[in-house]
Amino acid sequence: MRTPLVAGNWKMNGSRDANRALLSALKGSLGDIRGVDVAVCPPAVYLAEIANDLSGGPIAVGAQDCSDQEKGAYTGELAGSMLAEVGCRYVIVGHSERRERQNEDNAWVAAKFVAAQAAGLTPILCVGEQKADREGGRTETVVAEQLDAVLDAAGVEAFERAVIAYEPVWAIGTGLTATPEQAQEVHAFIRNRVAGRDPQVAADLRILYGGSMKADNAAGLLALEDIDGGLIGGASLDADAFSAIARAAGEQVAA
Ligand code: PEP
């Protein structure tokens, strides 16, 4: 039985006031949540304060990125050990916005994944195809390359302590969502690819869907066999919407 994870990627949004309001609403609505892991991934500058605020409660904290290096002359970067020290449990690696804007390639993402785990963090590895890849019939090729780079660098056993997020790039922040059939097809592909290396690791692996998941489409996606939660962008800034998604994930467990 895989416990679903619903993680909110706040991206570059928030302020101390806005964070306080959002977290206070989330603590109110998710304080008693059971059977679902919930996390928020705020901008790095707020992590320590938010991790303190949420400490001891059901909502974990994750970072949005980490360095592939342990320490040293890497101006502006944050080591996994620093994120762990201030209370992070998770870190997103390979988000498509970073792959695009910071030119993070598969090898770099794999190195970040390895560094994050070495620091005791659980990486949430993002994979997903561009619109042109889907239209050109290359979805599986692209996702396989992204996944294999990390499987080769980290070894399949590393996925016992990791989460994958399938995020079709054309669905992120666009309001377009993969249909449940499209999402399930890629999720099953990812699980089968990991199973090719170790069936038990694949069976236990949580694969989240991300891409315009909202309160009104979450249940349909979360009901699918290989979808084990969501990585939520825009809707994670709205306490009611994010809580509704987390509760929908919990209802799937109960069903
Ligand atoms: C994301 O950026 O990880 C994401 C899923 O964003 P949105 O939910 O806004 O599409």
Side-chain angles (χ1 to χ4, degrees), residues 41 66 80 93 127 133 222 224 252:
C41 304
C66 73
V93 296
V127 299
D133 297 322
L222 293 165
L224 296 163
Q252 290 310 320

Side-chain angles (χ1 to χ4, degrees), residues 9 11 92 95-97 126 167 171-176 209-214 231-236:
N9 174 12
K11 310 194 187 191
I92 298 169
H95 192 281
S96 62
E97 285 154 13
C126 298
E167 300 208 306
I172 295 181
T174 58
L176 297 173
Y209 170 80
S212 300
M213 193 188 264
K214 310 278 181 213
L231 181 56
I232 319 300
S236 71

Side-chain angles (χ1 to χ4, degrees), residues 5-13 19 22-23 26 38-44 46-47 50 54 59-65 88-93 122 124 208 230-233 236-237 242:
L5 168 65
V6 174
N9 174 12
W10 291 7
K11 310 194 187 191
M12 198 174 73
N13 292 293
N19 300 347
L22 178 54
L23 291 170
L26 289 179
V38 179
V40 292
C41 304
Y46 300 122
L47 285 169
I50 290 178
L54 295 177
I59 306 175
V61 176
Q64 297 175 14
D65 179 45
C88 291
R89 183 182 308 166
Y90 300 98
V91 59
I92 298 169
V93 296
T122 299
I124 301 176
L208 316 184
L231 181 56
I232 319 300
S236 71
L237 300 171
F242 187 66

